[in-house]
Amino acid sequence: AILSTGYQVAVLGASGAVGREVVRLFEQRSFPVTRLKLLASARSAGTPVPWRGGSIEIEAVAPDSFSGCDFAFFSAGASRSREWAPVAREAGATVIDNSSAFRMDPDVPLVVPEVNGSALTARDTLVSVPNCSAIILLMAVAPLRALGEIDRLIVSTYQSASGGGAAMMEDLLDQTRDSLEGRAPTPKTTPHPYAFNLFSHNTPIGPDGHNEEESKVMTEARKILGRPDLKVNVTCVRVPVLRAHTESVTIEFKDKAPSVEAIREAVSSFPGVRLVDEPQNNRFPMPFEASGQDDVLVGRVRKDPSHDSAICLMVSGDQLLKSAALTGVQIAEKLSELRKVVETAPRA
């Protein structure tokens, strides 16, 4: 529950897929917005966005855009975040940033509220939302920490077009239409044909052989879990799915692996996670069912026959919701609660 009377809020990147979801979630979750400013680049200025039965026009972001704002939600990319976050904070706003700009800064909390919400304090004025694949992974891994110490994670991702924003989603639709109508697909946002194809995630490959997406998941998982020693190996693949990422995860424990029944019970009782594990119906986590859902779906729970201390899972989650917009709004809700406690605490 939100404990404040209301906030002035700005959304930078309001023309994008994540920004639109943030605005929609304000209404769905009754986040107490008294004044909403929607910001983007000049080319998007004037675009109407639905709000409370009417609409609000997007404004071009400017130095005075954040004046009077309590919260500023950023989903416009790392370079924009680096440019405008200091401006917003100087104006008195708390910035909740959905880019990679500040995630690995040791002074900036990197938070999935259900996993490490205790990392937030009422004093925080800049909080990072983690990488989308890292969020989905850790929502599945976090419930298992009570069952034994985790030693290693091996992850393969199947990432949807929504991870590349509205333009990539539209590009996938266009390429699919072209392919079905007998025309050669012409990629606009991807390095290879996307329709009826898959390829290694379209981020640069580093000297260690991992692409940027894989490196983000590995480093961010360690920071969020407070486990700098955690062994993690990730392979990220872009697949022709419009929305919601899926992952195959092998989890190795220090000691004997917990039972399948214990894992299912732990997953079922964890907030924000839903167990989808029906071997008799071959029904497990799928992007088709995860799309539009707040919960992360976890299932296909089984022992690893090649390793006594390992278990395997499948995970699927909406990249635009829990993996981006929803986590950002939940962070604001948590900060609101923390600050209300400080405001109402008796003074010494």
Side-chain angles (χ1 to χ4, degrees), residues 212-253:
E212 284 185 359
E213 185 78 356
E214 293 159 351
S215 296
K216 287 176 184 178
V217 176
M218 292 187 282
T219 56
E220 292 180 28
R222 295 183 184 111
K223 179 176 178 178
I224 294 165
L225 294 176
R227 288 283 308 281
D229 61 333
L230 183 65
K231 302 168 190 171
V232 191
N233 187 38
V234 182
T235 301
C236 292
V237 177
R238 190 76 80 181
V239 298
V241 171
L242 197 61
R243 180 167 172 164
H245 294 349
T246 302
E247 300 179 8
S248 171
V249 185
T250 297
I251 303 167
E252 295 180 6
F253 290 81

Side-chain angles (χ1 to χ4, degrees), residues 307-324:
H307 197 300
D308 289 342
S309 298
I311 58 95
C312 304
L313 302 172
M314 279 189 69
V315 193
S316 194
D318 190 308
Q319 185 276 328
L320 298 177
L321 287 174
K322 184 55 193 168
S323 290

